[in-house]
Amino acid sequence: MEAIREQYPYLYETHLHTEECSACAHSTGAEMARACKEYGYTGIFVTDHNWGGNTAVDRSLPWEEWVDRFEQGYLHAAEEGGKIGLDVFYGYEAGYDGTEFLIYGVDGAWLKAHPQIRTATVEEQYRLIHKAGGLVIHAHPFREAGYIPDVRLYPQWVDGVEGVNATHSNSGSMAHNDPAFDKRAIAYAGQHGLPLTAGSDIHTTGLLGGGIAFRRRIRSAQDYARAILSGEDYVLTNGESWFDKTGNRITDCK
């Protein structure tokens, strides 16, 4: 593990929920920030469930008010991150009847200026996010769960695939724990030439340690999008093992 962390010292949690905005989460943004700093993350992306998923924010609110409420988990995490030296970036998890996408590179101001995103199709979402310089990653594409009626794949309308989800493959996970979900996602990404990402899909401060480690510090969510799209060097982890960019296991974390 020491050799990997020396080469890739900047570790990021790319899939994280807060109780302010995700109905399934149990820890606040500030609590998540403190836990991630203590674990050793350089930064986190707050990816709460949006209006199409398991949001904790009243969908009947006027659009701009909804966005203001939806930002609270991120804002609380960012405020705490600023105090303790943790980089905190804006993201969200878009839901389409159980099929979910991790969105990076846009923010609350962009959402307010683009209310059409609320009713966008998967294709329209991709085009809107790309025009803004953002990134669309298919989250846990092969997960089987009661809230997911079907596995639906959109290789032409995503930039990459979450191939290592710690909730699936970390032995400490308490939900959706089936490494086969990750194996299928890695194979699918390879078939379509899509880059892989990794995250924990974490909802509490009981961290799993998943994410992506880079050789250099990420400056912003759009910088992260460029790093993935340009093929920059990085490694993936589920908190127990390290994987290369194609999903091949390198070594254990301990």
Side-chain angles (χ1 to χ4, degrees):
M1 176 182 176
E2 289 77 10
I4 293 290
R5 289 308 307 270
E6 287 176 5
Q7 295 177 58
Y8 302 91
Y10 301 100
L11 178 63
Y12 295 87
E13 174 60 85
T14 68
H15 193 164
L16 176 150
H17 297 275
T18 73
E19 72 173 17
E20 289 95 331
C21 306
S22 292
C24 44
H26 302 285
S27 300
T28 67
E31 289 168 343
M32 296 300 286
R34 288 192 293 270
C36 288
K37 176 64 176 180
E38 183 176 347
Y39 184 89
Y41 285 101
T42 303
I44 62 174
F45 292 82
V46 176
T47 55
D48 281 313
H49 290 290
N50 79 341
W51 52 91
N54 197 19
T55 184
V57 184
D58 184 355
R59 293 179 180 86
S60 69
L61 290 171
W63 177 239
E64 292 200 3
E65 185 177 349
W66 189 93
V67 174
D68 285 338
R69 293 281 300 277
F70 181 68
E71 287 188 308
Q72 293 307 300
Y74 159 75
L75 291 174
H76 293 160
E79 180 180 12
E80 187 66 19
K83 297 175 182 176
I84 62 178
L86 180 79
D87 295 337
V88 179
F89 303 118
Y90 192 104
Y92 65 87
E93 188 167 12
Y96 288 84
D97 191 24
T99 302
E100 294 177 307
F101 304 90
L102 294 164
I103 308 298
Y104 309 96
V106 299
D107 58 15
W110 185 91
L111 287 174
K112 288 180 180 181
H114 295 81
Q116 67 269 38
I117 192 67
R118 197 170 195 174
T119 56
T121 65
V122 172
E123 177 182 352
E124 290 166 344
Q125 169 185 257
Y126 177 80
R127 296 189 185 282
L128 284 165
I129 298 300
H130 257 239
K131 187 176 180 180
L135 183 74
V136 180
I137 299 294
H138 195 152
H140 44 69
F142 290 91
R143 176 181 291 176
E144 298 175 11
Y147 73 93
I148 303 174
D150 296 291
V151 170
R152 292 175 294 176
L153 304 174
Y154 301 88
Q156 70 274 44
W157 306 127
V158 298
D159 296 302
V161 175
E162 186 184 52
V164 178
N165 183 301
T167 298
H168 297 162
S169 53
N170 185 297
S171 62
S173 173
M174 303 300 289
H176 311 302
N177 196 326
D178 188 340
F181 300 155
D182 282 359
K183 292 178 181 178
R184 293 172 195 154
I186 291 168
Y188 164 65
Q191 290 167 3
H192 293 277
L194 294 167
L196 292 172
T197 67
S200 296
D201 198 358
I202 198 73
H203 291 69
T204 75
T205 55
L207 303 184
L208 298 176
I212 302 182
F214 288 90
R215 292 183 182 273
R216 53 100 179 177
R217 196 178 199 114
I218 297 298
R219 298 183 298 273
S220 66
Q222 287 201 332
D223 184 33
Y224 172 70
R226 288 190 293 268
I228 300 299
L229 292 172
S230 68
E232 189 169 319
D233 189 22
Y234 57 81
V235 291
L236 314 171
T237 183
N238 65 356
E240 292 182 332
S241 297
W242 290 101
F243 305 84
D244 66 20
K245 287 173 58 176
T246 64
N248 292 314
R249 182 179 168 279
I250 303 170
T251 184
D252 290 335
C253 290
K254 297 180 180 179

PDB file of all heavy atoms in Angstrom, residues 166-184:
ATOM      1  N   ALA A 166     -17.417   0.665  -3.601  1.00  0.00           N
ATOM      2  CA  ALA A 166     -17.056  -0.014  -2.357  1.00  0.00           C
ATOM      3  C   ALA A 166     -18.254  -0.662  -1.677  1.00  0.00           C
ATOM      4  O   ALA A 166     -18.103  -1.660  -0.967  1.00  0.00           O
ATOM      5  CB  ALA A 166     -16.368   0.970  -1.413  1.00  0.00           C
ATOM      6  N   THR A 167     -19.435  -0.113  -1.901  1.00  0.00           N
ATOM      7  CA  THR A 167     -20.635  -0.728  -1.327  1.00  0.00           C
ATOM      8  C   THR A 167     -20.824  -2.147  -1.859  1.00  0.00           C
ATOM      9  O   THR A 167     -21.354  -3.012  -1.165  1.00  0.00           O
ATOM     10  CB  THR A 167     -21.872   0.138  -1.636  1.00  0.00           C
ATOM     11  OG1 THR A 167     -21.698   1.417  -1.036  1.00  0.00           O
ATOM     12  CG2 THR A 167     -23.140  -0.496  -1.106  1.00  0.00           C
ATOM     13  N   HIS A 168     -20.378  -2.389  -3.088  1.00  0.00           N
ATOM     14  CA  HIS A 168     -20.496  -3.726  -3.675  1.00  0.00           C
ATOM     15  C   HIS A 168     -19.401  -4.674  -3.201  1.00  0.00           C
ATOM     16  O   HIS A 168     -19.664  -5.848  -2.950  1.00  0.00           O
ATOM     17  CB  HIS A 168     -20.405  -3.642  -5.206  1.00  0.00           C
ATOM     18  CG  HIS A 168     -21.490  -2.863  -5.847  1.00  0.00           C
ATOM     19  ND1 HIS A 168     -21.393  -2.376  -7.129  1.00  0.00           N
ATOM     20  CD2 HIS A 168     -22.707  -2.471  -5.400  1.00  0.00           C
ATOM     21  CE1 HIS A 168     -22.493  -1.724  -7.451  1.00  0.00           C
ATOM     22  NE2 HIS A 168     -23.305  -1.758  -6.407  1.00  0.00           N
ATOM     23  N   SER A 169     -18.162  -4.161  -3.126  1.00  0.00           N
ATOM     24  CA  SER A 169     -17.026  -5.084  -3.028  1.00  0.00           C
ATOM     25  C   SER A 169     -16.192  -4.970  -1.762  1.00  0.00           C
ATOM     26  O   SER A 169     -15.268  -5.752  -1.570  1.00  0.00           O
ATOM     27  CB  SER A 169     -16.112  -4.892  -4.248  1.00  0.00           C
ATOM     28  OG  SER A 169     -15.732  -3.531  -4.404  1.00  0.00           O
ATOM     29  N   ASN A 170     -16.482  -4.015  -0.887  1.00  0.00           N
ATOM     30  CA  ASN A 170     -15.784  -3.928   0.388  1.00  0.00           C
ATOM     31  C   ASN A 170     -16.498  -4.815   1.395  1.00  0.00           C
ATOM     32  O   ASN A 170     -17.725  -4.746   1.543  1.00  0.00           O
ATOM     33  CB  ASN A 170     -15.757  -2.472   0.866  1.00  0.00           C
ATOM     34  CG  ASN A 170     -14.943  -2.284   2.132  1.00  0.00           C
ATOM     35  OD1 ASN A 170     -15.267  -2.823   3.179  1.00  0.00           O
ATOM     36  ND2 ASN A 170     -13.886  -1.484   2.031  1.00  0.00           N
ATOM     37  N   SER A 171     -15.743  -5.640   2.114  1.00  0.00           N
ATOM     38  CA  SER A 171     -16.352  -6.607   3.040  1.00  0.00           C
ATOM     39  C   SER A 171     -17.085  -5.931   4.186  1.00  0.00           C
ATOM     40  O   SER A 171     -17.926  -6.562   4.844  1.00  0.00           O
ATOM     41  CB  SER A 171     -15.282  -7.546   3.592  1.00  0.00           C
ATOM     42  OG  SER A 171     -14.313  -6.826   4.335  1.00  0.00           O
ATOM     43  N   GLY A 172     -16.808  -4.661   4.441  1.00  0.00           N
ATOM     44  CA  GLY A 172     -17.490  -3.950   5.509  1.00  0.00           C
ATOM     45  C   GLY A 172     -18.820  -3.356   5.121  1.00  0.00           C
ATOM     46  O   GLY A 172     -19.533  -2.819   5.969  1.00  0.00           O
ATOM     47  N   SER A 173     -19.190  -3.467   3.862  1.00  0.00           N
ATOM     48  CA  SER A 173     -20.448  -2.888   3.405  1.00  0.00           C
ATOM     49  C   SER A 173     -21.637  -3.633   3.994  1.00  0.00           C
ATOM     50  O   SER A 173     -21.636  -4.862   4.088  1.00  0.00           O
ATOM     51  CB  SER A 173     -20.513  -2.935   1.878  1.00  0.00           C
ATOM     52  OG  SER A 173     -21.787  -2.538   1.413  1.00  0.00           O
ATOM     53  N   MET A 174     -22.684  -2.867   4.323  1.00  0.00           N
ATOM     54  CA  MET A 174     -23.887  -3.447   4.920  1.00  0.00           C
ATOM     55  C   MET A 174     -25.054  -3.494   3.939  1.00  0.00           C
ATOM     56  O   MET A 174     -26.160  -3.884   4.309  1.00  0.00           O
ATOM     57  CB  MET A 174     -24.285  -2.633   6.163  1.00  0.00           C
ATOM     58  CG  MET A 174     -23.202  -2.537   7.223  1.00  0.00           C
ATOM     59  SD  MET A 174     -22.698  -4.159   7.868  1.00  0.00           S
ATOM     60  CE  MET A 174     -24.171  -4.560   8.822  1.00  0.00           C
ATOM     61  N   ALA A 175     -24.827  -3.097   2.678  1.00  0.00           N
ATOM     62  CA  ALA A 175     -25.920  -3.095   1.701  1.00  0.00           C
ATOM     63  C   ALA A 175     -25.352  -3.292   0.299  1.00  0.00           C
ATOM     64  O   ALA A 175     -24.230  -2.880   0.009  1.00  0.00           O
ATOM     65  CB  ALA A 175     -26.690  -1.780   1.774  1.00  0.00           C
ATOM     66  N   HIS A 176     -26.127  -3.936  -0.566  1.00  0.00           N
ATOM     67  CA  HIS A 176     -25.766  -4.132  -1.976  1.00  0.00           C
ATOM     68  C   HIS A 176     -24.411  -4.826  -2.122  1.00  0.00           C
ATOM     69  O   HIS A 176     -23.711  -4.614  -3.117  1.00  0.00           O
ATOM     70  CB  HIS A 176     -25.722  -2.786  -2.712  1.00  0.00           C
ATOM     71  CG  HIS A 176     -26.923  -1.923  -2.502  1.00  0.00           C
ATOM     72  ND1 HIS A 176     -28.203  -2.335  -2.807  1.00  0.00           N
ATOM     73  CD2 HIS A 176     -27.034  -0.663  -2.009  1.00  0.00           C
ATOM     74  CE1 HIS A 176     -29.057  -1.360  -2.514  1.00  0.00           C
ATOM     75  NE2 HIS A 176     -28.387  -0.351  -2.022  1.00  0.00           N
ATOM     76  N   ASN A 177     -24.049  -5.657  -1.156  1.00  0.00           N
ATOM     77  CA  ASN A 177     -22.705  -6.234  -1.158  1.00  0.00           C
ATOM     78  C   ASN A 177     -22.649  -7.456  -2.067  1.00  0.00           C
ATOM     79  O   ASN A 177     -22.987  -8.564  -1.673  1.00  0.00           O
ATOM     80  CB  ASN A 177     -22.290  -6.607   0.273  1.00  0.00           C
ATOM     81  CG  ASN A 177     -20.793  -6.833   0.375  1.00  0.00           C
ATOM     82  OD1 ASN A 177     -20.178  -7.311  -0.557  1.00  0.00           O
ATOM     83  ND2 ASN A 177     -20.214  -6.465   1.500  1.00  0.00           N
ATOM     84  N   ASP A 178     -22.211  -7.231  -3.314  1.00  0.00           N
ATOM     85  CA  ASP A 178     -22.037  -8.307  -4.293  1.00  0.00           C
ATOM     86  C   ASP A 178     -20.961  -7.873  -5.275  1.00  0.00           C
ATOM     87  O   ASP A 178     -21.218  -7.058  -6.164  1.00  0.00           O
ATOM     88  CB  ASP A 178     -23.351  -8.595  -5.021  1.00  0.00           C
ATOM     89  CG  ASP A 178     -23.262  -9.831  -5.899  1.00  0.00           C
ATOM     90  OD1 ASP A 178     -22.132 -10.236  -6.251  1.00  0.00           O
ATOM     91  OD2 ASP A 178     -24.314 -10.386  -6.254  1.00  0.00           O
ATOM     92  N   PRO A 179     -19.738  -8.409  -5.163  1.00  0.00           N
ATOM     93  CA  PRO A 179     -18.640  -8.008  -6.051  1.00  0.00           C
ATOM     94  C   PRO A 179     -18.933  -8.256  -7.524  1.00  0.00           C
ATOM     95  O   PRO A 179     -18.297  -7.635  -8.389  1.00  0.00           O
ATOM     96  CB  PRO A 179     -17.467  -8.872  -5.568  1.00  0.00           C
ATOM     97  CG  PRO A 179     -17.799  -9.217  -4.148  1.00  0.00           C
ATOM     98  CD  PRO A 179     -19.296  -9.358  -4.119  1.00  0.00           C
ATOM     99  N   ALA A 180     -19.887  -9.130  -7.823  1.00  0.00           N
ATOM    100  CA  ALA A 180     -20.221  -9.402  -9.227  1.00  0.00           C
ATOM    101  C   ALA A 180     -20.740  -8.154  -9.923  1.00  0.00           C
ATOM    102  O   ALA A 180     -20.558  -7.991 -11.143  1.00  0.00           O
ATOM    103  CB  ALA A 180     -21.260 -10.519  -9.317  1.00  0.00           C
ATOM    104  N   PHE A 181     -21.385  -7.246  -9.169  1.00  0.00           N
ATOM    105  CA  PHE A 181     -21.870  -5.995  -9.777  1.00  0.00           C
ATOM    106  C   PHE A 181     -20.701  -5.199 -10.364  1.00  0.00           C
ATOM    107  O   PHE A 181     -20.799  -4.637 -11.445  1.00  0.00           O
ATOM    108  CB  PHE A 181     -22.610  -5.141  -8.748  1.00  0.00           C
ATOM    109  CG  PHE A 181     -23.819  -5.791  -8.126  1.00  0.00           C
ATOM    110  CD1 PHE A 181     -24.259  -5.385  -6.874  1.00  0.00           C
ATOM    111  CD2 PHE A 181     -24.514  -6.795  -8.781  1.00  0.00           C
ATOM    112  CE1 PHE A 181     -25.390  -5.957  -6.288  1.00  0.00           C
ATOM    113  CE2 PHE A 181     -25.645  -7.389  -8.195  1.00  0.00           C
ATOM    114  CZ  PHE A 181     -26.068  -6.961  -6.955  1.00  0.00           C
ATOM    115  N   ASP A 182     -19.589  -5.157  -9.619  1.00  0.00           N
ATOM    116  CA  ASP A 182     -18.412  -4.441 -10.100  1.00  0.00           C
ATOM    117  C   ASP A 182     -17.767  -5.161 -11.273  1.00  0.00           C
ATOM    118  O   ASP A 182     -17.335  -4.527 -12.244  1.00  0.00           O
ATOM    119  CB  ASP A 182     -17.392  -4.271  -8.976  1.00  0.00           C
ATOM    120  CG  ASP A 182     -17.742  -3.155  -8.005  1.00  0.00           C
ATOM    121  OD1 ASP A 182     -18.780  -2.488  -8.213  1.00  0.00           O
ATOM    122  OD2 ASP A 182     -16.981  -2.962  -7.039  1.00  0.00           O
ATOM    123  N   LYS A 183     -17.676  -6.463 -11.198  1.00  0.00           N
ATOM    124  CA  LYS A 183     -17.051  -7.225 -12.286  1.00  0.00           C
ATOM    125  C   LYS A 183     -17.775  -6.990 -13.608  1.00  0.00           C
ATOM    126  O   LYS A 183     -17.146  -6.829 -14.661  1.00  0.00           O
ATOM    127  CB  LYS A 183     -17.030  -8.709 -11.937  1.00  0.00           C
ATOM    128  CG  LYS A 183     -16.092  -9.059 -10.785  1.00  0.00           C
ATOM    129  CD  LYS A 183     -16.145 -10.537 -10.451  1.00  0.00           C
ATOM    130  CE  LYS A 183     -15.215 -10.877  -9.287  1.00  0.00           C
ATOM    131  NZ  LYS A 183     -15.296 -12.316  -8.910  1.00  0.00           N
ATOM    132  N   ARG A 184     -19.096  -6.961 -13.556  1.00  0.00           N
ATOM    133  CA  ARG A 184     -19.873  -6.712 -14.777  1.00  0.00           C
ATOM    134  C   ARG A 184     -19.658  -5.295 -15.282  1.00  0.00           C
ATOM    135  O   ARG A 184     -19.556  -5.067 -16.490  1.00  0.00           O
ATOM    136  CB  ARG A 184     -21.355  -6.955 -14.496  1.00  0.00           C
ATOM    137  CG  ARG A 184     -21.703  -8.409 -14.201  1.00  0.00           C
ATOM    138  CD  ARG A 184     -23.139  -8.545 -13.748  1.00  0.00           C
ATOM    139  NE  ARG A 184     -23.366  -9.852 -13.146  1.00  0.00           N
ATOM    140  CZ  ARG A 184     -24.300 -10.115 -12.247  1.00  0.00           C
ATOM    141  NH1 ARG A 184     -25.099  -9.127 -11.813  1.00  0.00           N
ATOM    142  NH2 ARG A 184     -24.442 -11.324 -11.754  1.00  0.00           N
TER     143      ARG A 184
END
